[in-house]
């Protein structure tokens, strides 16, 4: 059961939560902080199981028809597993949420509450952002919220240029990744931003948001901004030259690697700066 819940939590995508939380800690100027550990632990299996467990439960019918499901890109669950997943989500998340409510400053908890709410209602009715054009992509800005609530949790101010830059980056990436599912989403009546704009329109939309993210990143760290712009530009160029869902599907493996590469550039610099005592 545990291995199944881990699979449902999509470990290959944990970088989007744990990685962002670690960067939020490093941007404080510390290589390690024990007071951030509960947030880091929550950002692994618990929160990812919440995101993708809720998604898989509510999308069973469409996932059953999606050839990408059943592997690294998402589980294909059975209706008999619903109760186990719900129980897993509650057992792994409620203790953390209760602890944060009692121990963290109100501002930090408010951002955490927004983080949870947005990702639950990304899939859950009545809001179900994933089926609403533009809101599906804009709601993914929540992936950047750890850059806000991690500093607030320890009494520090967020670096807003980094947070807003990552919010824009997340909006772009969501639409870019959704292009590969245009045919399946259209057939299922899910009106995503990618379905609404079409492949060429999605390239333009993602390009604008990735451009905005580059501006934010430049204000914080120009090597990360350059690497992010180069990877985003390459992905957009490849899809723009052959604007089909099949091309987007082939590019998805590189899109998955995108945050790992950009995050590694950021992490290497910050760790080196800390070791050289540029940071405390």
């Amino acid at each position: 059961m545990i291995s199944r819940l881990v699979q449902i939590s999509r470990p290959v995508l944990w970088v989007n939560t744990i990685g962002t939380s670690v960067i939020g800690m490093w941007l404080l100027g510390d290589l390690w902080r024990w007071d951030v550990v509960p947030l880091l632990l929550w950002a692994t299996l618990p929160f990812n199981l919440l995101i993708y467990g809720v998604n898989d439960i509510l999308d069973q019918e469409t996932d059953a028809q999606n050839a990408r499901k059943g592997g690294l890109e998402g589980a294909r669950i059975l209706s008999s597993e619903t109760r186990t997943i719900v129980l897993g989500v509650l057992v792994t998340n409620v203790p953390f949420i209760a602890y944060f409510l009692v121990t963290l400053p109100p501002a930090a908890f408010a951002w955490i509450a927004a983080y949870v709410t947005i990702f639950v209602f990304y899939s859950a009715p009545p809001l179900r952002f994933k089926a609403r054009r533009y809101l599906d992509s804009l709601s993914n800005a929540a992936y950047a919220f750890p850059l806000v609530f991690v500093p607030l949790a320890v009494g520090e101010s967020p670096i807003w240029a980094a947070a807003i830059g990552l919010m824009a980056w997340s909006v772009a990436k969501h639409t870019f990744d959704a292009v590969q599912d245009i045919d399946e989403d259209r057939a299922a009546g899910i009106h995503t931003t990618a379905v609404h704009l079409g492949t060429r329109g999605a390239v333009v939309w993602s390009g604008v948001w990735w451009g905005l993210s580059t501006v934010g990143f430049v204000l914080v760290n120009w090597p990360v901004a350059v690497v992010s712009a180069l990877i985003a530009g390459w992905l957009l160029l490849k899809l723009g030259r052959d604007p089909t869902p099949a091309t987007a599907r082939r590019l998805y493996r590189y899109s998955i690697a995108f945050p790992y590469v950009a995050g590694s550039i950021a992490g290497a610099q910050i760790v080196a700066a800390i070791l050289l005592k540029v940071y405390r």
Side-chain angles (χ1 to χ4, degrees), residues 123-250:
S123 301
L127 299 180
R128 196 163 164 78
F129 297 132
K130 69 171 295 177
R132 299 175 183 269
R133 61 188 181 187
Y134 301 120
L135 289 178
D136 62 333
S137 291
L138 293 172
S139 64
N140 270 250
Y143 273 112
F145 285 12
L147 294 188
V148 179
F149 65 67
V150 168
L152 291 175
V154 296
E156 302 279 354
S157 298
I159 298 178
W160 288 106
I164 294 172
L166 187 57
M167 289 179 192
W169 185 93
S170 300
V171 171
K173 189 173 184 298
H174 177 272
T175 301
F176 184 89
D177 290 346
V179 170
Q180 64 188 310
D181 292 325
I182 283 178
D183 294 336
E184 291 83 358
D185 286 341
R186 183 179 289 122
I190 300 175
H191 204 54
T192 66
T193 302
V195 168
H196 176 68
L197 295 176
T199 304
R200 292 187 184 278
V203 168
V204 174
W205 168 268
S206 295
V208 169
W209 286 103
W210 266 328
L212 291 173
S213 75
T214 300
V215 174
F217 294 159
V218 163
L219 297 175
V220 180
N221 188 287
W222 69 264
V224 171
V226 170
V227 170
S228 178
L230 288 174
I231 297 174
W234 181 80
L235 289 171
L236 293 168
L237 180 63
K238 297 290 283 188
L239 185 57
R241 285 179 172 176
D242 185 14
T244 65
T247 301
R249 194 166 295 118
R250 289 194 298 272

Side-chain angles (χ1 to χ4, degrees), residues 95-110:
F96 280 102
I97 299 300
Y99 175 79
F100 297 150
L101 176 61
V102 172
T103 62
L104 297 186
F109 186 78

Side-chain angles (χ1 to χ4, degrees), residues 8 27-28 33 36 43 49-50 54 63 88 90 137 139-140 144-145 155 170 178 182 191 208 215 234 236 261 269-270:
I8 290 168
L27 287 175
L28 296 173
R33 290 186 65 132
V36 177
L49 182 59
L50 182 149
V54 171
D63 285 351
L90 293 176
S137 291
S139 64
N140 270 250
F145 285 12
S170 300
I182 283 178
H191 204 54
V208 169
V215 174
W234 181 80
L236 293 168
V261 175
Q269 291 180 83
I270 294 171

Side-chain angles (χ1 to χ4, degrees), residues 108-124:
F109 186 78
W111 279 90
I112 289 172
Y115 194 48
V116 171
T117 301
I118 289 171
F119 278 114
V120 167
F121 285 106
Y122 175 79
S123 301

Side-chain angles (χ1 to χ4, degrees), residues 39-50:
L39 290 168
L40 297 180
L41 291 175
W42 179 57
T44 57
L45 172 65
F47 190 66
N48 284 281
L49 182 59
L50 182 149

